[in-house]
Amino acid sequence: MPVPPLSKSKQLRALLESPELEFILEAHNGISAKLVQQAGFKGIWASGLALSAQFCVRDSNEASWTQVVDMLEFMSDATDIPILLDGDTGYGNFNNMRRLVRKLEQRGIAGVCIEDKQFPKTNSFIDSGKQALADIDEFCGKIRAGKDSQQDPDFCIVARVEALIAGWGMDEALKRASAYCAAGADAILIHSRQSRADEILAFAEAWDGACPLVIVPTKYYSTPVDVFRKAGVSLVIWANQMIRASVRAMAHVSREIFCQESLTGVEDRITAVDSIFQLQGADELLRAQERYLNRAGASRALVLAASRGNNLYELTADRPKAMLNIRGKPLLQRLVDEFRKRAVNDITVIAGYKSDTLDIGGVDICLNTRFDTTGELYSLACARDRFSDDMVIIYGDLLFRSYILQDLLERDGELVIVVDSLMEEVEITGTPDYVWCDRADDRSLFMQEVRLQRVSEEHTPDDPPCGRWTGMMRVRSQGRRWLDQALDELSTRPGYEQLTLPDLLNHLTGNGRPVTVHYINGHWLDVNSVNDIDRAGDFTSD
Ligand code: SPV
Ligand code: MG
C-alpha cells in the first residue's frame, strides 16, 4: 500500500521540528510557488513584502487580507509543499487572528507567522526604529486566540519578535520570545536588520530552546549557513529572492522589446510558451478532456474513396462506392459522422472516380487524378501533405459500430490496425486482407499486445490467418515517420503505382516496424456487393 503523503501542516511542523537546518523560499503567486517546489524546496514563504510588491502596493497592509488569502489559494492549489504565510500582525486584534487562522486552514495553508508590531505595520527594513511594538500581553492573547481556533492540531503559528529590529535590545527580545512560546507559539522567528549575524547568533546562544528558531537572513545573507546550523537554528527563510529575480528579468526584457521594437533579441532568452503550458498543467487538462469530453480523437482522418467499386455494377455508374446510398445517407457521410462523433473534425477524403459527386459538407477533398490506373497506396500518397502526427487512415466503404473507432482512438501504439478475428459464421465478400499476427485473439477482456506479421489476400487451410484487416489504421508521430520512409522506399519499386495498403503494411513489418493489432469480433462491414448493401442496415440507426 502506498504511504499517503503527509498533510501540509504536518510537513511544516516536521520542518520546524527537524534536527536538521531546513530552508524555505519566498513565492508570491501560483507560478512562483510552483517554481519553488520544482527547485526542490520543502516549503514556501508567502512573503508579505513580495505579495504586496506583485500587486505593486506597499508592504503596509495596503492589500487587504482577503486579497492575500485569495492569492494564497492559487499558490496552495499549484503546489504540494507547505506554505507559511507572513501574516503581518494578524491583520487586526485577536478576533481578526481567529478568523484568519480559520480561513487559512480552509485554503490548505500550513501555518502563519505573526509579528509583534501594530496594525497597520510596515516592512521591518523601512523606518524600523520608529515602529511601535505590540504590548506583550496583547500579542500573547493573539497567539492563544489563533491556537484555540485552529481545527488542525498541526497548523503552525510562528511568533516573530521585532525587538532587535526596533532597537529594544536583547533582553526584551528574549523576554518576548519566552512569553510567546509560553502562549503556545510553535516557533519563534527572531528578526534582525544588521548586515552581520552577530545579534541573531547571540540570541540563539541565549535562547533556552523552548521552541524552534526561525531566521530571515536578508541583510546578513553572507553568513555561511553552517554558522546557523551550529547555532541550532531550525529554519532559514529566504524571504524575497523570487520577486526580486522576476522584477529584474521583467525590467530588462520590457526595455529591450521597447527599444528594439522586435522580439528577436529576447525570444531565445525567455521561457518558451510550452514551458509555461507545462507549469500550468496543460497536459492534465488534455488528458481530462479525453476522459470527460470523449475527445480521444485523432486530429485527422484520411479517407480513401477514389475507387469506383466495380463489383457494384450499375450502382456505381454515376458515383463512387463511397457515395452509395445506405438507408437515405451516403456511405461516406455515415463514416464522416462517426469521426465527428469522436471529435475528429479534420477529415480529408481522397477522391478519384466521379469526384464531383462527393458533396459531403466540411471535408477536404484531395484528388487522385490517376485513379483509374493506380492503386490505394498511390491514392494515399496523393494526400502526403495532409499527413499529421495523429491520424486515422481508413477505407471509404466501411460501416462499423461506433465503439470500434472509439477504441482505436484510445489505443496506444505508433501504428495500430483493426483486425477482425471472427472468421467463421461470417460471409466474406470482396478480396479480404487476411492477417497473421504473433498471437491469435484470445478474446480476453484486457487489451493484448499483439504485433502484425504479414497481410495477404490468400491463405491455405494449413496456415490459417488470425483474422482480417478491416481497413482502419491509426498513426501517431513516430508511426508517421515510418510511414513516410516506407512510402519513399516503395515509390522506387517497380509496380509502385499498383501497390495496396497491405503492401505498405508488409513493407513496414519487413522493416521491423511494430504494427500493433487491435482485435475486434465482427460489428463492421466493407461494402463490396449488393448483398452487403442489404446487410448495411445493421449498422444504421437513422
Ligand atoms: C517579508 O518577507 O515580508 C518579511 C520578511 O516580513 S522581511 O521583509 O525581511 O521583513
Ligand atoms: Mg513581511
Side-chain angles (χ1 to χ4, degrees), residues 48-49 59 86 88 115 121 123 160:
L49 168 64
D59 186 14
D86 172 8
D88 293 344
E115 60 197 60
K121 46 82 42 154
N123 187 274
R160 166 166 159 180

Side-chain angles (χ1 to χ4, degrees), residues 47-225:
S47 155
L49 168 64
L51 282 160
S52 19
Q54 60 82 42
F55 286 126
C56 204
V57 297
R58 287 161 288 216
D59 186 14
S60 306
N61 295 119
E62 289 187 346
S64 76
W65 72 274
T66 53
Q67 287 170 325
V68 168
V69 170
D70 280 347
M71 183 59 89
L72 289 175
E73 187 171 15
F74 284 102
M75 294 167 64
S76 177
D77 287 350
T79 51
D80 308 309
I81 55 175
I83 297 174
L84 174 62
L85 169 65
D86 172 8
D88 293 344
T89 58
Y91 310 113
N93 71 4
F94 79 94
N95 191 38
N96 304 87
M97 177 67 179
R98 293 194 300 184
R99 189 163 172 78
L100 174 66
V101 167
R102 283 201 300 275
K103 293 293 139 189
L104 292 178
E105 284 192 318
Q106 285 166 9
R107 305 213 184 185
I109 305 306
V112 62
C113 174
I114 51 167
E115 60 197 60
D116 55 357
K117 291 205 293 239
Q118 291 181 11
F119 182 89
K121 46 82 42 154
T122 202
N123 187 274
S124 299
F125 301 137
I126 297 176
D127 236 2
S128 45
K130 299 206 182 91
Q131 291 191 51
L133 295 191
D135 172 74
I136 296 188
D137 289 338
E138 191 262 336
F139 195 70
C140 285
K142 207 182 266 185
I143 295 168
R144 282 203 311 278
K147 291 306 291 177
D148 286 347
S149 58
Q150 73 187 53
Q151 312 274 302
D152 171 359
D154 291 309
F155 183 86
C156 296
I157 295 185
V158 177
R160 166 166 159 180
V161 176
E162 290 282 296
L164 300 179
I165 295 268
W168 289 29
M170 189 61 68
D171 289 347
E172 179 72 15
L174 287 163
K175 182 172 91 180
R176 283 175 175 258
S178 295
Y180 303 161
C181 238
D186 297 290
I188 293 295
L189 189 162
I190 181 68
H191 207 11
S192 165
R193 60 186 155 99
Q194 292 184 355
S195 57
R196 291 171 52 91
D198 299 4
E199 62 179 4
I200 289 294
L201 297 174
F203 182 95
E205 172 85 32
W207 177 239
D208 61 6
C211 55
L213 279 190
V214 180
I215 60 170
V216 185
T218 302
K219 293 286 181 188
Y220 49 96
Y221 65 90
S222 60
T223 313
V225 293

Side-chain angles (χ1 to χ4, degrees), residues 355-372:
S355 59
D356 52 337
T357 63
L358 285 172
D359 60 344
I360 307 288
V363 302
D364 282 339
I365 303 287
C366 166
L367 273 188
N368 173 7
T369 48
R370 297 179 52 211
F371 64 90
D372 49 350

